[in-house]
Amino acid sequence: MSQLSPLQCNARDLEADLNWFAQVLAARIQHYFANDAHSFDTAALAPPALSPSGSGYARFVQENQLSFAERCTLLLALSPHVRPRLLDIFFIKNQKIERRFTEFGGYLAGANGDFTPTGETLAFIVAGDDLVQRFALGRLFEDEHVFARQNILRLAAGGEETGMKAPLRLSDEALNAFTTGALRRPDFGANFPARRIETSLNWDDLVLQSGTRKVIEEIKTWVEHGATLMHGWGMAKKLRPGYRSLFYGPPGTGKTMTACLLGKATGQDVYKIDLSQVVSKYIGETEKNLGKVFDQAQSRGWILFFDEADALFGKRSETKDSHDRYANQEVSFLLQRIESFDGIAILASNQRANMDDAFARRFESMVFFPIPRPEERLRLWQQGFSAQSQLESTLDLEKIAHEHALAGGAIMNVIRYASLEAIKHQRTTIATADVLQGIRREYGKEGKGT
């Protein structure tokens, strides 16, 4: 018998649970219209035992030991996407007043007037008129619950729709994981201020001084053996979870590339958060937006790379206005999340002197990325040009490397400029004049002359 695909495994396990959920719905509706004075316990309808198939849906249910109410919540959120006819029962009208039953919650949306369940719909199914059970359901939508921590579902409050009257929303990532078996990466935007970064290069392409490489090796050692230290050696009670590192040095010296290579070497996605953008664009929203990033990073094993860390963790004077108060709140929040983050968090700054000393002491390592030395700059020049090009005979890379103290990023900008000039003029030879002009352009960016 051929092995089932993730899609087929999810379909089989969801089929079993959706059939059970249909029974729960039917029982609740039957009890409601029978006006039965006796309390009706929907939890008496035991959910099916899911197979140990390893489907994304079954794995989530089993690993988190979802309760009756939690399982109903998940299936109610899934129903509009995978079996909307289950919710047709809620189109029934109250014949006395010629309108839908308020008790059912939900609302009609879309061109076809599809039924969208709300928290009230869930309360009707699980709790009926039992206020204690209804109030307890609110805990399923708190930030600490697995539904929020793993970005599974939420009550999408907005406008006049608040509390349990808000629609029940399943995240796109969860929908993909529980149906096709594929994890969809979140989209960068105002509600998710992190962007996945990667590189096609390898460690041999990264030119660093030996001292910098040695500290990077320490981070790789943590990735490879941290779990053994924390759990195998029982150090989890004595050490903070995760690993925090500060990368500091001038722009273009390899900080971002190093973070990408760490992710590539360990099979972990790397997500970059530009803190200067977060602070300037989303003032007052930082906790909520960064909270989503941390929740997903925790559940998916991402490496988090915070660029422009000075924006939040730079040295501060006294609080003068609301912007400063927000910034102080954001620093406290981010510190707390970074210190409890069970993963790798890398913060990048152009200058170590810009960072507050009290914050700097919280790092497991601090990595300095200096401007490369002449011999390192020569290697960057030599390996930077395309194999399809040739260098003009007068182009002395060794002399250029010694005379111009450029960072790796600036060198690659010059190589890009000179190569495009060659292509534009239909030649494969890299001209000395173009390289020198490219160098002048880089100095101009820094306000320096050649």
Side-chain angles (χ1 to χ4, degrees):
M1 181 178 178
S2 60
Q3 187 175 2
L4 296 179
S5 68
L7 185 150
Q8 291 170 317
C9 289
N10 275 326
R12 179 195 58 204
D13 292 334
L14 267 174
E15 184 73 45
D17 256 23
L18 287 167
N19 289 338
W20 165 74
F21 186 55
Q23 296 174 24
V24 173
L25 280 176
R28 171 57 73 190
I29 292 292
Q30 182 180 10
H31 175 263
Y32 176 77
F33 285 111
N35 293 316
D36 191 345
H38 300 289
S39 64
F40 171 69
D41 183 12
T42 49
L45 292 167
L50 297 173
S51 64
S53 65
S55 76
Y57 175 77
R59 192 161 54 247
F60 178 78
V61 171
Q62 293 162 344
E63 288 180 357
N64 295 287
Q65 299 181 342
L66 296 192
S67 66
F68 170 86
E70 290 169 329
R71 206 147 157 182
C72 282
T73 305
L74 183 56
L75 289 165
L76 182 60
L78 275 162
S79 293
H81 304 280
V82 298
R83 187 151 297 170
R85 69 174 184 268
L86 281 179
L87 306 179
D88 286 351
I89 191 67
F90 295 118
F91 284 104
I92 298 174
K93 285 187 177 181
N94 187 326
Q95 298 300 321
K96 294 180 180 180
I97 58 175
E98 285 298 316
R99 57 171 290 177
R100 293 176 52 253
F101 286 86
T102 306
E103 297 90 329
F104 296 167
Y107 63 90
L108 307 184
N112 298 322
D114 297 329
F115 182 84
T116 297
T118 62
E120 282 291 330
T121 312
L122 175 67
F124 170 78
I125 296 169
V126 174
D129 291 330
D130 188 323
L131 288 181
V132 173
Q133 288 192 57
R134 279 177 164 264
F135 297 158
L137 288 174
R139 298 172 186 164
L140 305 186
F141 306 104
E142 294 176 350
D143 292 342
E144 296 76 17
H145 193 274
V146 66
F147 288 155
R149 286 190 289 103
Q150 295 193 25
N151 191 36
I152 303 299
L153 56 83
R154 61 191 174 91
L155 288 176
E160 297 180 358
E161 299 164 345
T162 59
M164 296 295 278
K165 289 187 176 296
L168 190 59
R169 300 290 191 201
L170 188 74
S171 71
D172 290 341
E173 295 77 28
L175 179 60
N176 279 272
F178 296 154
T179 54
T180 65
L183 279 175
R184 179 180 177 276
R185 293 189 175 97
D187 297 323
F188 172 80
N191 293 323
F192 193 83
R195 191 189 305 273
R196 182 171 176 262
I197 56 174
E198 56 185 335
T199 181
S200 59
L201 303 177
N202 54 50
W203 289 108
D204 292 335
D205 299 307
L206 183 64
V207 178
L208 296 175
Q209 293 185 13
S210 58
T212 302
R213 277 193 177 275
K214 183 176 180 181
V215 185
I216 297 300
E217 286 296 324
E218 293 178 12
I219 303 176
K220 291 173 67 177
T221 299
W222 163 262
V223 174
E224 294 169 0
H225 305 293
T228 301
L229 174 67
M230 300 296 276
H231 306 295
W233 283 31
M235 294 295 287
K237 297 179 180 179
K238 302 179 180 181
L239 300 175
R240 291 184 302 174
Y243 190 98
R244 289 141 291 272
S245 184
L246 174 67
F247 288 5
Y248 68 100
T253 48
K255 297 186 290 293
T256 302
M257 183 177 173
T258 299
C260 289
L261 288 172
L262 281 170
K264 189 174 183 179
T266 58
Q268 296 172 284
D269 284 345
V270 180
Y271 274 78
K272 176 182 175 182
I273 303 99
D274 187 330
L275 289 177
S276 66
Q277 293 292 312
V278 170
V279 172
S280 63
K281 287 186 177 181
Y282 314 122
I283 186 70
E285 295 288 312
T286 304
E287 288 191 27
K288 181 177 70 176
N289 295 330
L290 288 182
K292 295 174 185 176
V293 176
F294 274 104
D295 290 341
Q296 292 220 44
Q298 191 77 48
S299 63
R300 298 197 189 187
W302 295 341
I303 293 175
L304 294 181
F305 180 73
F306 296 90
D307 201 12
E308 301 290 345
D310 318 55
L312 273 187
F313 298 107
K315 295 179 178 178
R316 295 193 175 276
S317 57
E318 61 189 71
T319 300
K320 296 179 179 179
D321 53 29
S322 60
H323 187 284
D324 288 337
R325 286 194 294 274
Y326 274 126
N328 289 337
Q329 293 171 13
E330 289 157 355
V331 168
S332 298
F333 168 78
L334 193 52
L335 274 176
Q336 183 269 321
R337 291 305 302 261
I338 287 176
E339 293 202 344
S340 63
F341 180 50
D342 189 11
I344 296 176
I346 298 170
L347 283 83
S349 170
N350 289 338
Q351 293 187 4
R352 164 68 180 84
N354 290 345
M355 301 297 290
D356 186 276
D357 290 337
F359 174 69
R361 288 193 290 269
R362 300 169 187 261
F363 292 104
E364 272 71 36
S365 67
M366 301 180 67
V367 189
F368 177 47
F369 288 76
I371 292 290
R373 295 170 296 195
E375 60 270 25
E376 292 152 356
R377 297 198 293 269
L378 177 59
R379 183 181 163 194
L380 286 166
W381 283 111
Q382 290 173 334
Q383 69 185 30
F385 289 101
S386 167
Q388 307 302 316
S389 65
Q390 302 87 38
L391 303 184
E392 192 173 44
S393 60
T394 58
L395 183 53
D396 187 344
L397 293 183
E398 187 169 354
K399 179 181 178 183
I400 287 175
H402 276 79
E403 292 182 350
H404 300 286
L406 297 174
I411 289 173
M412 291 310 302
N413 286 341
V414 174
I415 290 172
R416 178 198 295 265
Y417 171 79
S419 298
L420 284 172
E421 286 296 302
I423 294 171
K424 181 174 74 174
H425 293 96
Q426 299 182 339
R427 52 182 166 81
T428 58
T429 302
I430 304 297
T432 302
D434 290 338
V435 171
L436 294 177
Q437 175 60 21
I439 292 173
R440 283 191 288 271
R441 286 161 55 93
E442 290 305 306
Y443 280 131
K445 294 178 185 178
E446 302 173 11
K448 302 176 181 177
T450 56

